[in-house]
Amino acid sequence: LSLSEPAGFQSQPGKGVRGTVEGKSIAIGNRALMHTVGAFESDTAISVLKYLGSTIIYVAVDGRYAGYIAIADPVKSSTPNALRELKAQGIRLLMLTGDNQFTAQEVARSLHIEDFKAEVLPAQKAEIISRLQNEGRVVAMAGDGINDAPALAQADVGMAMGTGTDIAMESGGITLVKGDLEGILRARKLSHAT
């Protein structure tokens, strides 16, 4: 593809990105960003049901809805076993995601995660962890993205995926080199042995 250079690029954490490409104002992100740029009216209904398990990213050109992109991040084959083992060890699991409710619900259902929160902004992840800590809980957080960095720093134990962003790895106290949740099991075993 021959790509054009964007001008006036702005990243809006937890919402998306904006800029100008070939003289047109472009916004790419979630529903909140679409409302901000006026691309969605309050009654705009776009069905994403056929894309359950996918993240939907909306696109607006010059303030008008232009379409969407469905992105699916496949669950690693080792993840269900790692989560089952953590539950068996008495660990309470809470999935915090910026994904929409439908996607989060489908992923949580497929992984047998009963407790999840969807459409969570980066700062909200850190606030939720802080709230759990104030309840007397010891909180471990696993994450891989820029949006996870504040929560990784807030957690008692921040575990960054080695396959993720540099800022996530800087914010976490532990880096799981292979980016695999089974690394949490190994880290717990090593910690107890130590």
Side-chain angles (χ1 to χ4, degrees):
L1 295 175
S2 175
L3 301 178
S4 302
E5 192 69 29
F9 178 83
Q10 300 173 353
S11 174
Q12 298 182 304
K15 290 187 178 181
V17 296
R18 296 171 72 172
T20 304
V21 178
E22 297 180 4
K24 295 182 179 181
S25 175
I26 307 293
I28 304 171
N30 62 15
R31 291 182 69 83
L33 182 61
M34 293 299 108
H35 284 292
T36 299
V37 300
F40 282 1
E41 300 302 327
S42 59
D43 61 348
T44 300
I46 296 172
S47 176
V48 295
L49 292 177
K50 63 183 173 180
Y51 295 107
L52 280 177
S54 298
T55 299
I56 304 299
I57 300 172
Y58 301 98
V59 180
V61 178
D62 288 332
R64 293 180 49 156
Y65 172 70
Y68 61 88
I69 303 164
I71 301 171
D73 188 11
V75 174
K76 287 189 168 133
S77 59
S78 60
T79 298
N81 180 59
L83 297 180
R84 264 192 310 275
E85 183 61 32
L86 287 169
K87 281 184 184 179
Q89 293 177 15
I91 304 296
R92 175 187 168 210
L93 301 177
L94 169 62
M95 182 177 81
L96 303 176
T97 179
D99 284 338
N100 66 65
Q101 182 70 23
F102 295 118
T103 299
Q105 189 172 330
E106 180 63 17
V107 171
R109 184 199 58 74
S110 71
L111 293 173
H112 305 288
I113 298 173
E114 294 82 24
D115 199 1
F116 70 92
K117 295 187 186 318
E119 301 176 25
V120 180
L121 296 173
Q124 291 174 314
K125 289 181 183 181
E127 289 170 11
I128 291 167
I129 287 174
S130 179
R131 197 172 328 125
L132 291 169
Q133 290 169 323
N134 289 337
E135 293 172 5
R137 298 179 187 271
V138 175
V139 181
M141 162 74 182
D144 64 356
I146 292 169
N147 290 343
D148 294 323
L152 288 166
Q154 177 64 46
D156 296 295
V157 180
M159 293 174 280
M161 301 296 151
T163 53
T165 62
D166 289 343
I167 188 70
M169 288 185 273
E170 294 267 334
S171 300
I174 297 173
T175 299
L176 304 175
V177 179
K178 293 182 181 177
D180 187 323
L181 292 184
E182 285 194 335
I184 296 172
L185 298 171
R186 288 190 293 278
R188 280 182 47 82
K189 188 175 182 179
L190 178 62
S191 175
H192 284 286
T194 303

